[in-house]
Amino acid sequence: NGGVNKATTPFTIVYATSTPNLWSANVGVRYMANNKFGVRLAGGYDVFKNDDDSPAFESNIWNVNLQGYANLARVLGFEDWTSDLGVLVHAGGGYSQLRSDSFTGKDQMLFLTGGVTPQVRLSNRIALLLDASLYLNARQNLTYDTNSRATRRGFQGAHFTTSIGLNIALG
């Protein structure tokens, strides 16, 4: 999947990203235990760049995550009126690293994530999807611009991603 992101908090004063901010990418493998529920192991990469009214910066986050999936189309009986539309909901957690050229180390974080993924079937094995996800970071020690320390403890960082991609069924 590829798309856009928006980091919301924390930032150093006067720093901000564009809305939407390019780019976000993720890839994963999902196993459905039955036609309603499954799990997905995935990795992602997000780039955060300054908007026109902000001082220049560029940072990125790499992540790996494990999420539970529910096929709402099956749970709610969409197949009674369509076989081409689907909706997945997902939630889970993972590990990520925030990095930038202005910061020599890496800010290691844990996060919770959740989202919704509408799908349109293109063939028996391929579906076009649109995913919208929220990431809530814990143990984030730096702001997204990496120019200052985050001031709160607990879940203090948040960013959104929206991406479009393909779901390819192998089995």
Side-chain angles (χ1 to χ4, degrees):
N1 299 344
V4 297
N5 63 51
K6 176 61 179 173
T8 57
T9 184
F11 278 99
T12 305
I13 295 173
V14 306
Y15 284 82
T17 61
S18 299
T19 304
N21 183 61
L22 293 174
W23 63 274
S24 178
N26 69 74
V27 64
V29 177
R30 188 179 76 222
Y31 173 76
M32 296 302 284
N34 54 44
N35 64 2
K36 295 179 184 167
F37 303 102
V39 295
R40 180 178 187 236
L41 178 63
Y45 178 73
D46 290 284
V47 175
F48 304 108
K49 290 179 111 174
N50 59 286
D51 70 6
D52 294 338
D53 298 327
S54 170
F57 76 91
E58 183 174 325
S59 60
N60 60 66
I61 285 185
W62 289 92
N63 80 64
V64 62
N65 61 81
L66 182 64
Q67 298 182 59
Y69 270 70
N71 184 341
L72 282 187
R74 291 289 174 116
V75 171
L76 298 176
F78 279 27
E79 62 268 2
D80 292 343
W81 55 274
T82 183
S83 61
D84 293 330
L85 298 177
V87 178
L88 303 173
V89 293
H90 53 91
Y95 167 81
S96 62
Q97 293 182 355
L98 175 63
R99 298 173 178 243
S100 78
D101 291 339
S102 66
F103 176 68
T104 57
K106 57 188 174 217
D107 190 4
Q108 301 182 69
M109 300 170 281
L110 299 174
F111 65 89
L112 295 176
T113 185
V116 61
T117 308
Q119 299 184 116
V120 176
R121 183 167 38 170
L122 302 176
S123 72
N124 283 342
R125 296 199 177 264
I126 299 173
L128 178 67
L129 62 88
L130 177 69
D131 180 75
S133 295
L134 168 65
Y135 294 80
L136 298 173
N137 300 325
R139 298 184 44 190
Q140 183 170 347
N141 295 311
L142 296 173
T143 56
Y144 280 106
D145 54 85
T146 70
N147 288 303
S148 62
R149 302 211 36 91
T151 57
R152 294 184 349 199
R153 305 299 282 160
F155 287 96
Q156 67 275 19
H159 69 277
F160 298 90
T161 63
T162 302
S163 58
I164 191 167
L166 293 176
N167 182 23
I168 302 169
L170 300 177

